[in-house]
Amino acid sequence: MKQGRLRVLLGAAPGVGKTYAMLEEGRRLRAQGKDVVVAVVETHGRAATKAMTAGFEIIPRARISHRGVELEEMDLDAVLARAPGYALVDELAHTNAPGLAHEKRWRDVETLLDAGIDVISTVNIQHIESLNDVVQQITGVPQRETIPDAVLREADQIEVVDLAPQALRDRLSEGVVYPAARIDAALSNYFRLGNLTALRELALLWLADEVDSSLQKYRAEHGIGQKWEARERVVVALTGGPEGETLIRRGSRIAARSAGGQLLAVHVTSQDGLRDTNPGALAAQRMLVESLGGSFHQVVGSDVPEALVQFARASNATQLVIGVSRRSRLAALLTGPGIGATVIRESGDIDVHIVTHSAAAGSRISLPRSRGSLTIRRRVYGFVLALVGGPLLTWLLASMRNDDSITSDVLSYQLLVVVVALVGGIWPALFAAVLSGFTLDFFFVDPLYTVTVDEPFHLLALILYVVIAVLVSIVVDQAARRSRAARRSAAESELIASVAGEVLRGQDAFQAFVSRTREAFGLTGVRILVGDRVLAADGEPAGTGVGDSASGRAGGAASGSGDDSVDRVPVNDEAVLELHGRALQSSDRRLLSVIVAQLASALANADLEETAREMAPLAAADKVRSALLAAVGHDLRRPLAGATAAVTGLRTSGASLSDDDRDELLDTAETSLKSLTDLLTNLLDVSRVQAGVLAVNLQPVDLVDLVPATLDELEVGPAEVDLDIPTDLPAIQADPVLLERVLANLLSNAMKYSPAGRRVVIAASAFHDVVQIRVIDAGKGVPEDRRDDIFVPFQRLGDTDNTTGLGLGLALAKGFVEGMNGTLEFEETPLGGSTMVVTLQAVTS
C-alpha cells in the first residue's frame, strides 16, 4: 500500500486563514474529480469558514463523555473505513479527549497516512515544540498543545498562510475572528501589532530554515559544490586579534541587508597549536557573534587561506569578510602578499571584503608630527641605500669601465645620490654625495686608487656634483615638509569633523571629545572634570592622583616625564580637561585650543539644556495655576451661586413657602454644596499630583472585591454595567483607595458618554507580569485631534450643562495610576466608542 502524503498549512497566529485555505484547496481537488472528505474542521463560529464547508462530505465526529462534559473529536475509525483519497484535518497539534486511540491528533494523521490517505492539515507557529519558549517570551501566553518538529519536518509539503499583522488586526476589529466581547482584549494582548510581527517573522524564518535544509540535502545528494545564492551567508575570518569585533559587526550588517541572512564566524587553528592567538579575545568575540544571531566555528589547518576558502565553500557562503593586514609595509615586502591576497585569488565566485580597522598597520587615527620633514625611518632607509647601493654600483661600473665611460660613471653616481635624496632627505644624500665623490676619485679618475686630482676640471666637477646633490636633497626635504603639513591639516580637520559628526548623530558630545582627543594625540587617557566629578573619560589615567596639585599645572605639562605626565587645561570656570601621557608640543596645543573652545561651547549648551529642563516643570505649574484660576472663576461660581440663591429663598420667603417648594430649595442647596465639595476635592487632589506629594500605599488588591465596591459607591446596577473579570485573575499591586477613585472616575465618564441601551463593560486580563483593566463604552469616541488632550487638566469635550466639572477626572485618574507605577491609556473601541486601559503590576508571589 502506498504511503499517504501530508500537506501542512502553517500560520503565524489564529485568524490568518489557514482553515479557509485548506477548504479552498479541498474545493479545488473536488473540482478535479478527487475524493475529498472533511475529517474535522474547527470553524470557531466564523461564518465565512462555515460557508466553505458546504458541499463537502463531512465525517460525523465521535462523541466522548469526560467528567460529565460531552466532547466531540475526529472519528478516526470512520475516516479509515471511508478510505477517501484526501482527508481535511484541522488543528494538527490538537490534544484528543481521554479514551481515544491516540493522545494527539498528529498521531491520528500518521495512522491515516499509513493507510494511504493523503492529508491536508493546519498548525500555528506557536504549537511547534522548539519554538514554544520563544513564543511564550513574545506573547506571554504558554502553549500547552505542541507538535514535535520532526513530525512537521517530515511533511511532504509545508506552506505558510501569510497575512500582514495590521490586516489581521483589521479582521479582528471587524468581528471576523472572535466574537465582539473578546475583540478588545484580544487586540491589546495576544494580537498586539508587535506580537503579530514577531510571530510572522518566526513563521517565515522557520520555513526558510526548512527550505534551506532541503536545499542542502539536495546539493549533497547531487554533488553540487558551487555557490547557490539562495540567501546571503557571510563568513567572518577571526584571528583572535583586536580587530575581531569590527569584522563581526561589519559581517552582521552585510548579512542583515537581505532577509534571512546568516552570519558565520570562523577561526583557523594550526595543526601544531602554536599559532599566536588570544583565547580571551576569541571567547569574547564568540559571545558577540552569538548575541548577533550568528554561529562560531573553529577549524584546523596549516594553510590559513586554503582553510578559510574551503570552509566558505562548504558553508555555501556568498561573502567572506577578512581584516586588512596588521603587518607593516616592510614586513609585507619581505614575506610576501599575505593572507588577504591569497584568499582573494582562491575565493572564486565568493565576494571578499577586506575591512580596515584600528589595529591595521598604518591605519591608526592619529595626528602626524608637525615638526621636521622626513621620518627617522626614511632617513635610516636613505643611509642604508647609500651604504648598500654605493658599493654595488661601484662593483658594477668597475666591471664595465673603459677609457670613455667616465661620463656615464658620474651620471650613475649622480642618479644614486638623487634616489637617496628622494628616500632619505638631505643628510643621507650629503653622505651619499661625499661617499660617491671619493669613490669616483679613487676608482675612476686618474691617477687611479688615489684621492688626488691632477686636473682642476675634475675637482670642479666633483664640487658641482656635491652641490647638485645638496640642492636635490633640499627640494625633497621641503616637499616632504609641505606634505606632512598638509596631512597634519587634513587630520586636524578630520578630528573636528569627526567630533561634530558624532555629536550631530546624537552621541554623547563629551565622550566623543575625550575619545577623539586621546586617539589624536596618542595619549594614555583623557578626562573632563567638573570639580571632583568625572564628566567623561577615555583610556587609563597616569599614576599620579587627580587631586594632587603637584600632578600637573593648568595649561602646561606636569612634573615628570615620558608617558607619566599629566596636563590640566582649563575649559571654563568649573571644568578642566585632563590629559595623561606624553607632553604635548606647541603645534599640538594649537589644535588643543580649538578642541577646548568646542568643549566650552558644548558645556555651555549642556548648561542651557539643564536650565531649560528645570524651567519646564515651572512653566507647566504656571500653566496649571492659570487654568486653576480660570476654573475657579468659572466653574466654582455656579454651585456657589445655586446654593446661595437657595438659602436666600428659604430665608426671605419663610413660612409662605409650600412644603414642595421648601424641599426643592433644600435639594438645590444640597446638590450645589455637594458639587462644590467634589470640585474642591478634585482641585486639592490635582494639586497634590502636580506637586508630586501624592501619598500612595501599595498592597495586593483583588479586583473581584474592589469593582463591586466601586459600583456600590456610584449606585450602578447590573443593568448598566457588564463585568468580565476572570476569577483566577492575579492580585495587583495598587493602593485600594486610589484605584477605587480611578475606576469611579473612568466608569462615570464612560456612562456619561455611552448611548442609552448600551452598557459599559469593565473587563480585566493578565498579560506577562501585568494586569490590564479596561473600561469600555460604545459612545461617539474621542476625535483624533483631541486624544492628546484628554488627560490634561481642565480639558473637556464641551460645556453642555451646569453640572459639567472642571475637566479633572481623567487627569486625576492618570496621576493616580502613575503614582501606583502603572499607566492609563486611551484606545479606540473596535466597533465604536472609547476604551480606557489601566495597566498595573501583578503580584507574582
Side-chain angles (χ1 to χ4, degrees):
M1 180 182 295
K2 75 175 184 70
Q3 178 76 10
R5 295 173 59 84
L6 174 61
R7 178 179 176 185
V8 178
L9 303 179
L10 177 65
V16 297
K18 302 180 302 299
T19 305
Y20 194 92
M22 180 182 69
L23 293 170
E24 268 190 332
E25 180 62 14
R27 284 178 176 268
R28 186 185 68 82
L29 293 172
R30 288 182 64 231
Q32 295 177 358
K34 306 293 185 181
D35 183 16
V36 184
V37 301
V38 172
V40 60
V41 165
E42 304 291 350
T43 64
H44 298 289
R46 299 164 192 165
T49 304
K50 186 175 182 179
M52 285 292 293
T53 62
F56 280 99
E57 178 184 349
I58 301 177
I59 304 297
R61 300 192 189 188
R63 297 181 179 272
I64 307 296
S65 179
H66 177 65
R67 294 181 179 178
V69 179
E70 192 171 88
L71 305 174
E72 293 186 350
E73 299 288 357
M74 182 181 74
D75 193 336
L76 177 61
D77 294 334
V79 179
L80 291 173
R82 171 63 176 76
Y86 291 85
L88 306 183
V89 181
D90 207 2
E91 298 186 358
L92 187 61
H94 173 74
T95 301
N96 290 327
L100 292 180
H102 300 123
E103 181 184 359
K104 294 287 187 176
R105 184 168 289 171
W106 59 267
R107 292 284 190 187
D108 296 338
V109 169
E110 286 183 339
T111 303
L112 296 178
L113 296 175
D114 292 339
I117 301 172
D118 292 344
V119 176
I120 303 176
S121 187
T122 66
V123 71
N124 282 328
I125 192 68
Q126 67 262 29
H127 297 299
I128 299 177
E129 179 66 41
S130 65
L131 301 178
N132 187 259
D133 56 339
V134 179
V135 173
Q136 183 173 353
Q137 290 176 3
I138 294 172
T139 64
V141 179
Q143 297 295 331
R144 296 178 177 84
E145 293 186 333
T146 59
I147 180 173
D149 291 52
V151 174
L152 201 55
R153 294 186 188 279
E154 289 173 1
D156 299 278
Q157 190 174 349
I158 304 176
E159 302 175 23
V160 170
V161 179
D162 190 31
L163 187 65
Q166 188 56 54
L168 178 56
R169 285 174 59 86
D170 292 341
R171 292 188 63 193
L172 196 68
S173 299
E174 294 165 1
V176 176
V177 179
Y178 288 140
R182 297 177 58 191
I183 291 175
D184 201 69
L187 280 173
S188 299
N189 292 303
Y190 192 92
F191 288 84
R192 294 170 183 255
L193 189 60
N195 289 0
L196 296 178
T197 303
L199 292 174
R200 185 191 191 195
E201 180 182 18
L202 203 60
L204 295 174
L205 288 178
W206 189 92
L207 184 62
D209 287 337
E210 173 62 21
V211 173
D212 184 66
S213 299
S214 301
L215 178 62
Q216 294 285 16
K217 181 179 178 182
Y218 177 84
R219 293 177 71 242
E221 291 175 350
H222 292 77
I224 300 173
Q226 67 266 28
K227 178 184 67 174
W228 283 10
E229 296 189 14
R231 61 169 161 170
E232 292 288 356
R233 275 190 183 83
V234 182
V235 173
V236 177
L238 301 178
T239 65
E243 74 281 359
E245 293 188 2
T246 300
L247 302 183
I248 292 169
R249 290 189 173 92
R250 177 63 62 86
S252 177
R253 290 196 295 270
I254 295 174
R257 292 172 186 168
S258 63
Q262 189 173 356
L263 175 66
L264 301 92
V266 58
H267 172 67
V268 179
T269 303
S270 62
Q271 294 177 350
D272 55 12
L274 297 178
R275 184 168 293 130
D276 184 21
T277 58
N278 186 337
L282 274 178
Q285 291 163 15
R286 178 172 190 160
M287 293 179 62
L288 176 60
V289 170
E290 293 173 351
S291 69
L292 294 173
S295 57
F296 181 87
H297 306 267
Q298 196 155 349
V299 298
V300 178
S302 56
D303 188 338
V304 174
E306 180 182 358
L308 284 176
V309 173
Q310 286 181 355
F311 177 82
R313 292 191 184 280
S315 304
N316 195 27
T318 59
Q319 314 275 345
L320 180 58
V321 179
I322 61 178
V324 71
S325 176
R326 286 179 281 164
R327 302 178 306 159
S328 65
R329 291 186 180 92
L330 180 60
L333 181 64
L334 296 176
T335 60
I339 294 176
T342 307
V343 168
I344 292 174
R345 185 174 62 252
E346 300 294 334
S347 62
D349 53 358
I350 300 175
D351 296 335
V352 179
H353 301 263
I354 298 182
V355 179
T356 186
H357 48 81
S358 59
S363 65
R364 181 177 177 181
I365 301 175
S366 60
L367 296 176
R369 294 184 310 162
S370 61
R371 299 181 62 183
S373 54
L374 298 177
T375 63
I376 295 178
R377 177 180 294 182
R378 285 189 61 178
R379 290 176 181 172
V380 171
Y381 286 165
F383 280 109
V384 171
L385 182 59
L387 290 172
V388 176
L392 288 175
L393 182 61
T394 301
W395 172 79
L396 180 63
L397 294 177
S399 64
M400 298 184 297
R401 181 168 58 86
N402 55 51
D403 295 338
D404 299 324
S405 62
I406 187 63
T407 303
S408 61
D409 295 340
V410 172
L411 291 176
S412 297
Y413 279 104
Q414 185 70 69
L415 177 61
L416 174 63
V417 173
V418 171
V419 172
V420 171
L422 291 173
V423 173
I426 186 169
W427 298 112
L430 286 175
F431 172 74
V434 173
L435 183 62
S436 58
F438 278 106
T439 303
L440 273 171
D441 180 38
F442 190 82
F443 287 100
F444 300 99
V445 177
D446 292 327
L448 299 179
Y449 311 117
T450 65
V451 292
T452 60
V453 178
D454 290 342
E455 295 291 337
F457 175 76
H458 290 166
L459 181 60
L460 177 63
L462 286 175
I463 295 173
L464 291 176
Y465 170 82
V466 173
V467 170
I468 292 172
V470 172
L471 293 176
V472 172
S473 303
I474 292 173
V475 171
V476 173
D477 194 77
Q478 289 179 347
R481 189 186 299 274
R482 291 191 178 96
S483 175
R484 182 173 296 276
R487 290 199 304 271
R488 171 83 180 192
S489 299
E492 292 177 358
S493 301
E494 182 182 357
L495 172 63
I496 300 300
S498 176
V499 173
E502 291 179 354
V503 173
L504 290 175
R505 287 191 295 270
Q507 299 182 15
D508 186 352
F510 304 116
Q511 189 61 45
F513 272 115
V514 296
S515 298
R516 292 302 182 183
T517 301
R518 185 192 66 80
E519 186 179 68
F521 294 120
L523 302 171
T524 59
V526 177
R527 301 195 294 184
I528 301 175
L529 299 175
V530 179
D532 294 332
R533 181 170 61 97
V534 178
L535 188 61
D538 187 68
E540 296 294 332
T544 54
V546 174
D548 188 357
S549 61
S551 65
R553 60 184 177 86
S559 60
S561 60
D563 293 336
D564 293 333
S565 64
V566 181
D567 200 352
R568 307 187 73 196
V569 182
V571 178
N572 56 23
D573 294 338
E574 298 178 348
V576 173
L577 181 64
E578 190 175 80
L579 311 174
H580 298 259
R582 67 180 182 88
L584 299 184
Q585 302 172 358
S586 58
S587 56
D588 295 329
R589 294 196 175 279
R590 179 175 58 83
L591 177 59
L592 183 62
S593 63
V594 177
I595 294 176
V596 169
Q598 295 282 344
L599 184 55
S601 299
L603 287 169
N605 289 336
D607 290 340
L608 290 175
E609 291 176 359
E610 181 64 26
T611 302
R613 284 193 294 268
E614 293 175 355
M615 293 298 295
L618 297 178
D622 185 67
K623 183 177 179 181
V624 170
R625 281 194 294 269
S626 299
L628 181 61
L629 291 174
V632 169
H634 178 263
D635 294 84
L636 296 185
R637 186 182 302 168
R638 293 195 307 269
L640 187 59
T644 302
V647 172
T648 302
L650 288 171
R651 177 182 291 276
T652 55
S653 300
S656 62
L657 287 175
S658 64
D659 291 341
D660 292 338
D661 291 339
R662 183 179 293 102
D663 291 341
E664 183 176 355
L665 288 175
L666 289 173
D667 288 341
T668 300
E670 183 180 6
T671 302
S672 299
L673 292 174
K674 184 178 182 303
S675 176
L676 185 61
T677 301
D678 293 340
L679 290 174
L680 289 174
T681 301
N682 283 341
L683 284 172
L684 291 174
D685 286 339
V686 80
S687 298
R688 286 160 50 211
V689 171
Q690 293 287 337
V693 294
L694 182 66
V696 180
N697 179 26
L698 294 180
Q699 56 183 279
V701 176
D702 191 347
L703 273 182
V704 176
D705 299 329
L706 184 70
V707 171
T710 305
L711 298 180
D712 291 342
E713 179 188 345
L714 296 177
E715 298 180 353
V716 175
E720 300 170 276
V721 176
D722 280 337
L723 298 182
D724 183 12
I725 302 176
T727 55
D728 59 348
L729 189 74
I732 56 179
Q733 197 74 14
D735 184 317
V737 177
L738 294 182
L739 183 57
E740 185 173 340
R741 293 196 59 190
V742 168
L743 295 179
N745 274 332
L746 297 180
L747 184 58
S748 60
N749 193 67
M751 295 179 64
K752 182 189 302 182
Y753 293 105
S754 193
R758 300 291 299 273
R759 291 187 290 187
V760 174
V761 178
I762 300 178
S765 59
F767 180 75
H768 280 301
D769 57 348
V770 300
V771 172
Q772 291 185 332
I773 310 167
R774 322 181 81 82
V775 180
I776 308 165
D777 68 66
K780 61 181 180 180
V782 179
E784 190 170 352
D785 59 341
R786 294 295 308 275
R787 291 176 185 174
D788 294 337
D789 300 332
I790 59 176
F791 295 113
V792 179
F794 313 108
Q795 301 293 322
R796 293 171 297 197
L797 295 178
D799 276 324
T800 56
D801 55 57
N802 287 338
T803 63
T804 303
L806 290 172
L808 295 175
L810 292 180
L812 274 176
K814 186 175 181 65
F816 289 164
V817 172
E818 290 177 350
M820 294 182 287
N821 302 321
T823 60
L824 174 60
E825 298 173 326
F826 168 85
E827 289 182 1
E828 186 176 2
T829 304
L831 301 180
S834 301
T835 299
M836 295 298 172
V837 184
V838 178
T839 303
L840 293 167
Q841 289 292 320
V843 178
T844 56
S845 62

